[in-house]
Amino acid sequence: MDLAENCLQGQTLEFELNGYDTRSELLQALQDGKIDLIFHANQNPYFAETNGFALSDTLLTLNMAAITAKDSFDENKENIVAVEKDNFVLKAYLSYNYPQWEVMEYETSDAAVKAMQKGEADCIVSNSGTVSDYLKNNKLHSVFLTKEADVSFAVQQGEPVLLSILNKTLTSMPTTQFSGAVVSYNASSRKVTAKDFIQDNLLAVSLIVGISILVVLCIILDSLKKSKRAEEKSKKSAEQALKLNQELEEKQQELQNALVEAQSANKAKTSFLNNMSHDIRTPINGIMGMLTILEKSGNDAERAKDCMNKIHESSKLLLSLINDVLDMAKLESDTVVFGDESINLDQVCQEITESLSFQAEEKGLHVIGEHDDYSGIYVWSNAVHLKKILMNLFTNSMKYNKVNGFIYMSMRTIERSEDRMTCEFKIKDNGIGMSEEFIKNELFTPFVQADNSPRSDYNGTGLGMPIVKQLVEKMGGTITVESKLGEGSCFTVILPFKIDTNARPEEKEDFNADISGVRILLVEDNELNAEIAEFMLTENGAKVETVKNGLEAVQHFEASEPGTYDVILMDVMMPVMDGLTATKTIRSLERQDAKTIPIIAMTANAFREDAERCMEAGMNAHLAKPLDAEKMIVALKKCMADNSDVKLHEDL
């Protein structure tokens, strides 16, 4: 709770803790409105629905174990489990994960343990943190269960605002601090006495006592030896002590260096947070300001158009800042998936040039581009990562350039065989340049920027170049920099590629946005996001029905006649039931269209691994927020066309 109170920047949450003797009283207090939320409750949507409360996102996951007096235990059998009558959290976990087990209720937890020991029940169930307490009895055994317990807050149904605040709090809570608090709490849950320690470590204690006796005997024998031998021993001990002292000093120096490095990293991150606070507020302020002007512009169409353009540009800047932070977090945790696809280098460079040249020319910059002919050459690489590298370098050249400056881009082959080639990408400018010291010590350090002046002109996270360097290295390439203050910079990236000898050029079809008559079930808990998606779809002719969570989606689909909906657009992170669970539930229904209806993820979880989780749950495609109308319609048409059991309307 202490962590949660201060995890939202600029806001303070206040929690008042009320204790209850039994969990039944706790649940009744929530239902009567005497308290706002319960901690903790188990992730069991059906139990929550039955008892009139809604669940937050998962706060922590507990490993669970079965404690048994039997020689063997199989969790897949129809076991009898003894449970304290009042423990609704544990009963919710068992009913959700082990519905085949028979639950025997007892007035107290001690009575449940005794029933298991007498053989009235096959086991009791406990979280892993308390397993050792039961194993002091050497007649008991523990078996860790394969199904974990997801723990959440519980709030009364009909409190979407409180639920949203809790979910945002969980997202913002520092993971490392929270994990440390949990470990600290578990570690201090019971006091270990000297007797406990000796009983638990009898072999080790015996060994230590024996070694101590031997050491004493050796000392006594050694004292009886000749004076000369004693002097030699003393001299040798002194040398060893000196060596140990030197090693200790070296370790202390290493620790000091590590401390300085950590302090430097913290200082850089503090600076980054200060800059991000400014940089994120700048586009937000621009958007809010332009909306105010737009409201008061009346019928001035030209002014309204100018406001809309500036809102669009501010939105793109805000999205770019957030993407940089997320990219760096993924790269530092080594969770970026580097899957290869067949791409045409000529097309990649053309897309980058087209998207950025206009921006450069608007800033009064001259762009010069030249590259070898790659029109018929396809290579195995990752287009998203390659574009990220080149666009970050190009954007840097724009950001730190001069009025009437130039940007030179080139791509050429420096080595090629029958199935492999190595390409050089060069981006050069005559901007403000960088010092040798900055290039050597800070250019590729996260959160650092070359210009630390007031941030009116140079905005960003200071993550662009670290992202570029890590991507280049993970793709097997190298990056070098040449720069002089006041004269400009030149970045050279060399990347190896495997040639796709079987590739055939794709023929692009003209985009047709018409989806007239397509019947869509839209599942989205955020009203603003739902309104935006519904507008995009109905504007192009679709018929849309909207529900607010996964459970409602399952209920609406199950109650509808087969063929009522042509496609489902499913958000992933939602209260009551998330999109992945809802998709699995729909796919398991005993009706043919449940197996075939296209389900498309529509989520802010935009990484490749997020998309893979959606596919594993049974979805057909993945759309990342913010939504792009053209990409959404293309995905709709493709999924419907790929599904042989779904007949497209004639106007498609």
Side-chain angles (χ1 to χ4, degrees):
M1 292 302 179
D2 289 339
L3 290 174
E5 283 181 349
N6 300 299
C7 68
L8 296 179
Q9 185 176 1
Q11 301 180 47
T12 301
L13 300 175
E14 294 183 3
F15 294 90
E16 179 183 343
L17 304 183
N18 291 344
Y20 293 87
D21 293 332
T22 67
R23 291 183 174 88
S24 297
E25 293 176 2
L26 182 69
L27 184 58
Q28 190 62 48
L30 179 68
Q31 293 171 343
D32 294 341
K34 294 179 180 178
I35 56 175
D36 300 305
L37 62 148
I38 288 176
F39 180 83
H40 58 85
N42 203 276
Q43 278 282 12
N44 186 332
Y46 303 107
F47 186 86
E49 181 76 6
T50 304
N51 288 275
F53 61 83
L55 297 169
S56 72
D57 294 340
T58 297
L59 174 59
L60 64 111
T61 299
L62 299 176
N63 292 316
M64 305 298 288
I67 311 299
T68 180
K70 296 186 174 183
D71 293 331
S72 62
F73 181 84
D74 185 353
E75 71 177 272
N76 296 313
K77 291 184 178 179
E78 295 181 0
N79 297 298
I80 300 174
V81 56
V83 179
E84 181 184 0
K85 182 179 180 180
D86 194 46
N87 194 343
F88 75 84
V89 175
L90 182 56
K91 288 192 287 186
Y93 164 79
L94 292 170
S95 67
Y96 187 69
N97 292 285
Y98 298 97
Q100 77 275 20
W101 289 11
E102 180 182 352
V103 175
M104 299 286 288
E105 296 184 347
Y106 294 85
E107 289 298 326
T108 65
S109 59
D110 289 340
V113 173
K114 290 178 181 177
M116 176 268 294
Q117 292 174 320
K118 292 178 180 178
E120 296 176 11
D122 296 310
C123 68
I124 62 170
V125 172
S126 171
N127 70 65
S128 59
T130 59
V131 168
S132 60
D133 294 337
Y134 295 103
L135 298 186
K136 290 180 180 180
N137 184 340
N138 57 19
K139 294 181 180 180
L140 299 181
H141 314 285
S142 66
V143 178
F144 280 89
L145 302 176
T146 59
K147 296 176 181 178
E148 301 169 328
D150 292 329
V151 175
S152 308
F153 286 104
V155 303
Q156 195 171 15
Q157 286 185 356
E159 292 288 346
V161 175
L162 176 58
L163 193 63
S164 176
I165 291 173
L166 285 174
N167 286 336
K168 287 181 173 62
T169 300
L170 296 182
T171 303
S172 305
M173 190 175 292
T175 305
T176 53
Q177 290 185 33
F178 176 71
S179 300
V182 173
V183 171
S184 176
Y185 177 84
N186 285 335
S188 61
S189 60
R190 69 180 183 91
K191 184 177 180 181
V192 179
T193 65
K195 181 180 178 182
D196 292 335
F197 178 82
I198 293 172
Q199 287 179 341
D200 293 342
N201 302 276
L202 185 59
L203 180 60
V205 171
S206 300
L207 185 61
I208 291 171
V209 171
I211 291 173
S212 300
I213 293 172
L214 287 175
V215 169
V216 171
L217 289 173
C218 288
I219 293 173
I220 294 171
L221 291 173
D222 190 62
S223 66
L224 300 175
K225 291 182 179 180
K226 295 180 180 181
S227 174
K228 185 177 179 180
R229 183 72 177 267
E231 290 176 2
E232 291 176 356
K233 190 75 174 179
S234 176
K235 183 180 179 181
K236 187 176 181 180
S237 297
E239 291 174 352
Q240 290 177 337
L242 180 61
K243 184 179 179 181
L244 288 172
N245 188 51
Q246 290 175 342
E247 291 178 355
L248 180 60
E249 289 179 354
E250 290 174 1
K251 293 294 182 184
Q252 288 176 334
Q253 186 59 47
E254 289 178 8
L255 289 172
Q256 182 64 29
N257 293 340
L259 177 61
V260 171
E261 189 174 324
Q263 289 173 339
S264 176
N266 284 335
K267 184 178 179 182
K269 290 190 178 184
T270 299
S271 175
F272 157 74
L273 290 172
N274 291 335
N275 291 341
M276 282 299 293
S277 176
H278 172 278
D279 290 343
I280 288 179
R281 289 173 185 272
T282 298
I284 291 176
N285 183 64
I287 293 169
M288 295 175 68
M290 287 300 107
L291 287 172
T292 301
I293 295 173
L294 192 61
E295 288 176 355
K296 298 181 179 180
S297 61
N299 296 324
D300 189 343
E302 194 64 31
R303 187 66 181 274
K305 182 179 179 182
D306 179 60
C307 289
M308 293 300 293
N309 288 336
K310 289 176 179 175
I311 289 172
H312 184 64
E313 290 302 316
S314 295
S315 301
K316 289 198 297 183
L317 173 58
L318 182 60
L319 183 61
S320 173
L321 291 169
I322 294 170
N323 283 340
D324 273 356
V325 176
L326 294 177
D327 285 342
M328 196 66 213
K330 285 286 183 179
L331 286 165
E332 284 191 334
S333 62
D334 201 26
T335 55
V336 175
V337 181
F338 284 83
D340 283 345
E341 57 186 324
S342 183
I343 64 172
N344 177 243
L345 294 176
D346 209 46
Q347 182 180 345
V348 171
C349 286
Q350 182 181 354
E351 290 174 358
I352 293 172
T353 303
E354 289 176 354
S355 64
L356 295 176
S357 293
F358 178 72
Q359 297 178 36
E361 289 168 3
E362 277 192 330
K363 291 178 175 287
L365 303 174
H366 306 284
V367 180
I368 304 168
E370 58 181 20
H371 58 83
D372 295 347
D373 182 12
Y374 295 101
S375 55
I377 300 175
Y378 285 76
V379 298
W380 291 103
S381 186
N382 188 294
V384 173
H385 295 149
L386 181 56
K387 287 179 183 178
K388 172 70 75 174
I389 291 169
L390 299 179
M391 290 181 77
N392 276 9
L393 293 174
F394 191 97
T395 303
N396 247 30
S397 291
M398 282 197 299
K399 190 186 300 181
Y400 300 109
N401 218 312
K402 303 174 181 176
V403 178
N404 294 322
F406 77 83
I407 301 175
Y408 169 79
M409 299 176 62
S410 73
M411 180 175 70
R412 65 188 185 94
T413 304
I414 58 177
E415 187 178 357
R416 178 170 178 174
S417 63
E418 184 177 345
D419 61 346
R420 294 188 177 276
M421 65 188 300
T422 302
C423 295
E424 176 195 80
F425 302 86
K426 193 183 289 288
I427 297 182
K428 183 177 181 181
D429 64 70
N430 63 340
I432 64 174
M434 297 171 286
S435 67
E436 290 184 12
E437 182 181 357
F438 181 81
I439 294 173
K440 182 179 179 181
N441 299 320
E442 298 181 333
L443 176 61
F444 297 114
T445 301
F447 317 120
V448 176
Q449 292 182 306
D451 189 290
N452 289 317
S453 59
R455 302 171 60 78
S456 299
D457 299 320
Y458 307 113
N459 48 44
T461 58
L463 295 174
M465 295 313 300
I467 289 172
V468 166
K469 188 173 188 296
Q470 290 206 41
L471 286 175
V472 168
E473 291 176 349
K474 288 181 183 292
M475 293 172 72
T478 61
I479 180 170
T480 56
V481 189
E482 297 176 12
S483 183
K484 285 187 178 181
L485 279 173
E487 296 183 14
S489 306
C490 178
F491 291 86
T492 303
V493 174
I494 296 177
L495 291 173
F497 298 104
K498 183 179 179 181
I499 299 173
D500 181 7
T501 54
N502 299 319
R504 295 289 182 270
E506 295 182 2
E507 295 183 4
K508 289 189 176 181
E509 299 180 2
D510 292 334
F511 174 67
N512 176 16
D514 185 21
I515 50 174
S516 298
V518 175
R519 295 157 298 188
I520 299 172
L521 179 61
L522 175 64
V523 191
E524 171 63 70
D525 66 311
N526 184 283
E527 292 184 8
L528 183 58
N529 288 341
E531 182 179 350
I532 293 169
E534 190 170 342
F535 174 80
M536 290 178 177
L537 295 166
T538 55
E539 186 76 2
N540 292 286
K543 297 178 180 178
V544 182
E545 183 177 348
T546 304
V547 294
K548 295 182 178 180
N549 58 63
L551 184 61
E552 289 185 14
V554 173
Q555 292 171 344
H556 274 65
F557 183 82
E558 194 170 12
S560 67
E561 292 294 327
T564 299
Y565 305 111
D566 295 318
V567 65
I568 299 174
L569 284 174
M570 181 81 72
D571 188 17
V572 173
M573 294 182 66
M574 294 181 291
V576 185
M577 182 184 288
D578 62 80
L580 300 180
T581 304
T583 299
K584 293 176 183 177
T585 306
I586 290 173
R587 293 297 189 211
S588 66
L589 295 176
E590 294 297 327
R591 47 188 281 181
Q592 184 57 36
D593 60 341
K595 309 293 188 293
T596 59
I597 186 169
I599 303 177
I600 301 174
M602 185 179 64
T603 172
N605 298 334
F607 292 105
R608 183 188 183 99
E609 51 268 38
D610 298 317
E612 290 176 351
R613 280 195 290 270
C614 292
M615 301 303 108
E616 290 170 1
M619 296 186 180
N620 302 82
H622 176 273
L623 293 172
K625 295 176 182 176
L627 293 176
D628 181 287
E630 181 174 331
K631 290 181 180 178
M632 181 164 56
I633 293 170
V634 168
L636 281 168
K637 289 189 171 184
K638 184 177 187 305
C639 288
M640 294 176 68
D642 289 346
N643 185 359
S644 59
D645 293 327
V646 176
K647 296 182 179 179
L648 299 182
H649 298 281
E650 293 181 0
D651 52 5
L652 294 182

